[in-house]
Amino acid sequence: MAQQLLDKFQRNIEYMRISVTDNCNLRCVYCNTSTKQHLNHVDVLSYEEIARVVRIAAHMGVHSIRLTGGEPTVRPHIEKLIEMLRSIEGINDISMTTNAIRLTEMAQSLKKAGLNRVNISLDTFKAERYTQMCGFNRITDVLQGIEAAKQAGLNPLKINTVVLRGVNDDEVLDFARKSFTDGWNVRYIEEMPLVDNPNGHKMVSICEIRESIENNLGYLEPCYTSKGCGPAKYFRLSGSRGSIGFIGPVTDCFCEKCNRFRLTADGKLRPCLLYDDEVDLRQALRGGASDVELESLIQQTAIMKHEKHQLADNIAPHGRSMRQIGG
């Protein structure tokens, strides 16, 4: 039987999200709110350091890896890291969250390197609104990147949409229709209050989103998706080839099933997205720590995991923005 990495609540930690950079080629309103400078190159974990952490974590029971950022495709030669991770015994799924801007040129090479699938962040179909929300007019590149990912076989491809009140909530049905007309796997995500946001939080609950879809497009049938370690609950419109998922970290707490760590680009292992706790692996890696010592630090991080977040009590982390954590 494979080794299990358990926290003090007997949750099995089998999934690691790895931020490979805090740089991004967009400036999204709910993600890039921090005024802190980007990391210096020397402070970012090397591919060899990341691979070593993953190798040790895989020995402890981690089998799924998701590469995040910032934007992971802006880190040079990201295919090299994917190849390194693919060669690690025990790692059977490697995915990536991306804005898709570079997928037209990179999708085939990412697939060849060993990437299984991608989640693509897209919050609007409207060019002017995309510019307002993301800082640059790149909507055409994103839509072309989605098609390139499909052609490369990076499936199941999922579209992540953060719905903000008064910003893009009028496009909820447009995204849902894509699951029917184009076979998209659309996932609606509640905005998370990670840091003080100068724009103010404009979260639309997944309950509101689902109600809007069912009132206008029909009943959502529960369905099962075979790939992924995340907390989304999936449904399907009658006759649809795609799916509709809901991720409600604020109103539908899924902490009791949490199965993940997050490794930041500067080498901090975080047990929870919604707490500021973290363990410094970079210092250990560069200080000559043995594999046994690193394994102990990973186990320590697992024990630090909280039972659940405190968003219901209006208590949220304030140490890092989303681009610094890696989602």
Side-chain angles (χ1 to χ4, degrees), residues 17-18 42 67 82 128 140 210 237 247 251 305 308:
R17 298 175 67 98
I18 301 172
V42 69
L67 302 179
I82 294 169
E128 183 177 351
T140 300
R210 179 175 177 179
L237 290 167
I247 301 177
T251 66
K305 285 182 73 69
K308 63 180 180 178

Side-chain angles (χ1 to χ4, degrees), residues 100 103-104 139-149:
L103 284 187
T104 299
I139 184 64
T140 300
D141 296 321
V142 174
L143 296 175
Q144 291 175 347
I146 290 173
E147 290 305 312

Side-chain angles (χ1 to χ4, degrees), residues 39-46 49-50 52-53 263-269 278-289 294 297 320:
L39 294 168
N40 294 320
H41 177 71
V42 69
D43 295 323
V44 176
L45 291 186
S46 69
E49 289 170 328
I50 292 173
R52 186 181 178 202
V53 171
L263 182 64
T264 66
D266 58 348
K268 307 302 190 297
L269 191 60
E278 53 188 32
V279 172
D280 191 346
L281 296 189
R282 186 185 69 193
Q283 183 178 11
L285 285 163
R286 297 181 182 179
L294 287 168
L297 289 175
R320 295 179 186 249

Side-chain angles (χ1 to χ4, degrees), residues 107-211:
Q108 291 289 346
S109 62
L110 292 171
K111 179 66 175 181
K112 183 178 180 181
L115 189 68
N116 294 108
R117 54 198 174 85
V118 290
N119 287 9
I120 293 173
S121 302
L122 177 63
D123 303 320
T124 179
F125 295 113
K126 300 177 181 180
E128 183 177 351
R129 181 175 289 174
Y130 189 92
T131 303
Q132 293 172 345
M133 295 186 71
C134 302
F136 301 92
N137 182 8
R138 305 298 297 271
I139 184 64
T140 300
D141 296 321
V142 174
L143 296 175
Q144 291 175 347
I146 290 173
E147 290 305 312
K150 287 182 179 179
Q151 292 300 316
L154 292 169
N155 296 313
L157 184 151
K158 300 175 183 177
I159 308 297
N160 291 344
T161 301
V162 177
V163 182
L164 303 179
R165 194 176 308 279
V167 179
N168 65 337
D169 51 339
D170 60 335
E171 294 187 72
V172 163
L173 299 182
D174 295 332
F175 277 92
R177 290 188 184 99
K178 280 287 191 179
S179 74
F180 190 89
T181 60
D182 294 65
W184 282 19
N185 299 294
V186 178
R187 310 197 311 170
Y188 299 97
I189 304 174
E190 290 178 342
E191 181 195 25
M192 290 179 281
L194 292 184
V195 295
D196 293 327
N197 189 341
N199 302 300
H201 295 289
K202 302 176 180 179
M203 185 201 79
V204 179
S205 72
I206 56 172
C207 182
E208 294 175 81
I209 296 169
R210 179 175 177 179
E211 183 177 354

